[in-house]
Amino acid sequence: MAEGKRILTGMRPTGSLHLGHYAGALENWLRLQREYDCYFLIADYQVSDYADDWDRVHNSVWEVALDWLAVGLSPDISHFMIESQVPENAELTTWLSWFLPLGMLQRNPTLKAEMADIEAGNKSVPVAFFTYPVMQAANILLPRAHLVPVGEDQLPHIEMTRELARRFNRQFKEVFPEPEGLVGRVPRLVGTDGQAKMSKSVGNTIDLKDSKAVVNEKVRRMYTDPTRLRAIDPGHVEGNPVFMYHDAFNPDKAEVDDLKERYIRGAVGDVEVKTKLAKAINNLLEPIRERRAYYESHSEHVRAALEKGCSEGRAIARETMEMVHDALGVNYLKKGG
Ligand code: ATP
Ligand code: MG
């Protein structure tokens, strides 16, 4: 156990979780929950790009919690929090936004790309979307976290959070540890389309809750090497999403090496490569599906996990905000006139 060290990390309630979340985040969280005091956040303040789809957001809060329980995260040793149920997140965001120069947000590469995506869909970017990285900084600093396991796309936000912590500590008082980012085994898993990052918003996912038949079908339709028309044509393994997934999810390394070798030579068909991949993914997902089915029929456990986590989240949030109020001197009534 990393003595007294805390983790804050989270996900947006925009849909159920997929293999990108598993390889990029959840797999790491599962290991880390035994070593750190973990705060897992469902970031429902940060989905302003879904303001026209509240049903989806509401459902996804439960979906995300279900997926967390299904992969084996434990609410007994960690804290499952819903962001809006710990409103100190919003308060700290307000104070932190005093100390962040506008240019730093405008230059943030992840934010820039996400805003461009929203605009490409002919939507306007809500102000709350533009400022969500500040809120993410508040999420991390509120439990005074030391470590933040995330996918690669989130690293600019962590860098900004570190800068905010330094500025606050220097100007007022040492309140916040400078948090470190930690990227998972697969920093950015490509989607089944082979084009973009696997993402809920793009529709190129294999979901943790997909049935065996759905996984088989999604893998069958996966993008492979477009230059290879027949099984006897030599193929490309580099940059081929089917082989990236084999590397990520097939534990039988000898099988993967053999498939790669024959693919390059033009001695194996796509059907065999994909059938073996689907099998490996289904083996990984089977125990997750079983646990999910259990929690779907015992929703009282999901509710209890969230209730416990939100209440524990509020406790540490109040402690931190007291330190912040003291540091800023905004405890007017406590000090007296
Ligand atoms: P959205 O498209 O709605 O933003 P998302 O799939 O990007 O959804 P988030 O909730 O934004 O999911 O991300 C949660 C965590 O999972 C973050 O740490 C993120 O970096 C990580 N993550 C998401 N997709 C991937 C992926 N394809 N590969 C690796 N990590 C990922
Ligand atoms: Mg995202």
Side-chain angles (χ1 to χ4, degrees), residues 18 25 44 55 133 154 174 190 224 227 233 254 281 283 291 299 322:
H18 52 65
D44 66 331
D55 282 350
Q154 302 298 303
E174 194 73 27
V190 72
T224 56
T227 64
D233 294 338
I281 293 175
N283 283 344
R291 276 192 298 265
S299 59
E322 196 139 316

Side-chain angles (χ1 to χ4, degrees), residues 79-86 303-318:
H79 322 280
F80 290 14
M81 269 160 79
I82 305 171
E83 187 178 31
S84 66
Q85 306 307 296
V86 184
R303 169 181 294 276
L306 290 170
E307 265 167 7
K308 175 174 174 285
C310 289
S311 135
E312 290 159 343
R314 273 194 300 269
I316 193 158
R318 278 197 285 266

Side-chain angles (χ1 to χ4, degrees), residues 88 91 95 168 175 318-332 334-335:
E88 284 82 357
E91 192 197 347
W95 290 124
F168 187 99
V175 172
R318 278 197 285 266
E319 200 180 282
T320 302
M321 287 319 292
E322 196 139 316
M323 293 160 81
V324 169
H325 293 158
D326 282 343
L328 294 174
V330 296
N331 44 6
Y332 309 108
K334 196 167 133 194
K335 283 192 297 196

Side-chain angles (χ1 to χ4, degrees), residues 36-332:
Y36 288 79
D37 186 16
C38 291
Y39 290 82
F40 298 128
L41 181 84
I42 301 179
D44 66 331
Y45 274 149
Q46 292 171 53
V47 287
S48 55
D49 48 330
Y50 284 80
D52 55 358
D53 200 353
W54 279 99
D55 282 350
R56 186 182 178 94
V57 172
H58 294 162
N59 290 336
S60 300
V61 167
W62 296 100
E63 286 290 296
V64 170
L66 259 174
D67 279 330
W68 286 356
L69 289 166
V71 295
L73 292 177
S74 163
D76 297 332
I77 53 175
S78 300
H79 322 280
F80 290 14
M81 269 160 79
I82 305 171
E83 187 178 31
S84 66
Q85 306 307 296
V86 184
E88 284 82 357
N89 280 302
E91 192 197 347
L92 187 57
T93 303
T94 303
W95 290 124
L96 292 179
S97 62
W98 281 44
F99 310 107
L100 184 73
L102 192 59
M104 233 189 257
L105 265 188
Q106 286 166 329
R107 283 193 301 272
N108 182 309
T110 296
L111 182 61
K112 270 191 353 203
E114 288 170 338
M115 291 198 305
D117 281 349
I118 294 175
E119 282 170 342
N122 276 329
K123 288 202 205 170
S124 56
V125 176
V127 171
F129 194 89
F130 178 62
T131 55
Y132 95 79
V134 194
M135 191 148 241
Q136 201 179 104
N139 300 150
I140 296 167
L141 297 181
L142 195 57
R144 306 191 302 282
H146 302 85
L147 193 69
V148 192
V150 284
E152 189 181 54
D153 58 322
Q154 302 298 303
L155 288 179
H157 304 345
I158 312 279
E159 202 36 62
M160 217 189 67
T161 307
R162 291 166 62 82
E163 179 62 26
L164 274 168
R166 277 195 294 268
R167 285 176 186 225
F168 187 99
N169 290 343
R170 202 182 318 124
Q171 192 174 340
F172 302 100
K173 208 173 180 179
E174 194 73 27
V175 172
F176 302 117
E178 236 180 83
E180 307 268 352
L182 179 72
V183 173
R185 183 169 60 93
V186 181
R188 183 183 293 254
L189 187 76
V190 72
T192 50
D193 56 359
Q195 310 297 318
K197 184 191 87 149
M198 183 179 282
S199 172
K200 287 172 276 187
S201 324
V202 178
N204 58 0
T205 65
I206 293 177
D207 294 348
L208 301 182
K209 68 169 190 187
D210 281 345
S211 68
K212 195 170 166 186
V214 169
V215 169
N216 291 343
E217 183 56 17
K218 284 185 176 175
V219 170
R220 195 181 66 76
R221 295 162 65 137
M222 260 182 85
Y223 181 91
T224 56
D225 177 356
T227 64
R228 188 170 186 257
L229 303 175
R230 295 164 305 172
I232 50 163
D233 294 338
H236 297 89
V237 164
E238 256 341 91
N240 184 331
V242 175
F243 283 100
M244 290 183 199
Y245 285 20
H246 263 297
D247 283 334
F249 303 112
N250 189 344
D252 186 345
K253 294 300 157 216
E255 178 175 280
V256 176
D257 287 344
D258 168 63
L259 288 173
K260 282 182 181 169
E261 190 269 320
R262 287 194 286 139
Y263 197 80
I264 292 166
R265 261 196 299 129
V268 64
D270 275 351
V271 173
E272 183 182 342
V273 180
K274 287 183 165 178
T275 307
K276 289 190 163 141
L277 175 61
K279 190 159 176 245
I281 293 175
N282 279 319
N283 283 344
L284 171 74
L285 295 185
E286 195 44 39
I288 298 177
R289 285 184 199 121
E290 273 173 27
R291 276 192 298 265
R292 199 178 207 279
Y294 172 83
Y295 286 110
E296 272 172 358
S297 58
H298 292 82
S299 59
E300 68 281 7
H301 292 325
V302 187
R303 169 181 294 276
L306 290 170
E307 265 167 7
K308 175 174 174 285
C310 289
S311 135
E312 290 159 343
R314 273 194 300 269
I316 193 158
R318 278 197 285 266
E319 200 180 282
T320 302
M321 287 319 292
E322 196 139 316
M323 293 160 81
V324 169
H325 293 158
D326 282 343
L328 294 174
V330 296
N331 44 6
Y332 309 108

